[in-house]
Amino acid sequence: MEAGNQKETLEERVVRLLKEKNLRITAAESCTGGMIAGALVNVAGASDVFGESYVTYSNEAKQRLVGVRAETLEQFGAVSEQTAWEMAAGAARAAGADVALSSTGIAGPGGGTPQKPVGLVYIGCCVQGSVQVRKLRFYGSRMENRTRTVEEALRFAAEMLGG
């Protein structure tokens, strides 16, 4: 949607789609540390579709706030498809939201391993109980990796919302 010469941003598209469908969104964020929520609240009128969000940086917070199972963390680790899935489903449940995004990854510059390298990210998206997860790999700085994760999460939400 174009307004004058202004192109609709990803976050504006997500908020518009949520309003059109009368849905509410939340997020459970690890590597993005609240940046997804921050992007959403940059949009005027976001309060119509967004009420709360969770920064679950530690494993303990993932378990306590959004119900990630200890067994999942022990078996697959915090940076895994399974954890991203449980974060998205758990955030939706905890917030009573229709849509939830999750992010977990290794932003860098340290912390990577050969199995889980720096820049590895999992993004989860839950829409009305249906959860999908995407595995991504970025090669930028810590901030670039985090920013790209937010962009891809918003793009994922827009796609799952049909826009």
Side-chain angles (χ1 to χ4, degrees):
M1 173 193 290
E2 301 264 341
N5 290 335
Q6 289 277 338
K7 188 171 183 194
E8 184 180 50
T9 65
L10 275 171
E11 51 265 40
E12 288 169 341
R13 183 180 327 151
V14 170
V15 169
R16 176 178 53 79
L17 290 165
L18 289 162
K19 285 181 179 182
E20 288 172 0
K21 297 174 184 294
N22 196 30
L23 300 174
R24 295 190 56 77
I25 191 169
T26 190
E29 304 181 60
S30 187
C31 62
T32 50
M35 291 171 64
I36 294 170
L40 290 168
V41 301
N42 280 338
V43 179
S47 60
D48 293 340
V49 298
F50 178 80
E52 63 190 71
S53 189
Y54 309 93
V55 176
T56 57
Y57 203 65
S58 70
N59 285 352
E60 185 273 332
K62 287 174 183 65
Q63 293 174 70
R64 182 172 45 83
L65 296 173
V66 296
V68 174
R69 297 176 317 124
E71 299 80 17
T72 300
L73 294 165
E74 289 165 17
Q75 184 174 356
F76 301 104
V79 180
S80 66
E81 177 181 355
Q82 295 83 355
T83 296
W85 194 100
E86 289 187 22
M87 287 171 69
R93 200 169 38 252
D98 308 290
V99 179
L101 289 168
S102 67
S103 66
T104 184
I106 303 167
T113 66
Q115 297 78 25
K116 294 185 180 183
V118 168
L120 174 65
V121 173
Y122 291 90
I123 298 168
C125 185
C126 176
V127 177
Q128 296 181 312
S130 174
V131 182
Q132 292 183 31
V133 176
R134 289 189 178 162
K135 177 182 179 180
L136 302 166
R137 177 82 192 276
F138 302 120
Y139 297 91
S141 68
R142 179 178 182 83
M143 194 61 196
E144 289 167 339
N145 291 342
R146 294 175 69 219
T147 300
R148 289 285 316 279
T149 300
V150 173
E151 291 168 3
E152 291 303 320
L154 293 170
R155 187 171 286 112
F156 194 8
E159 288 172 19
M160 286 195 61
L161 289 166

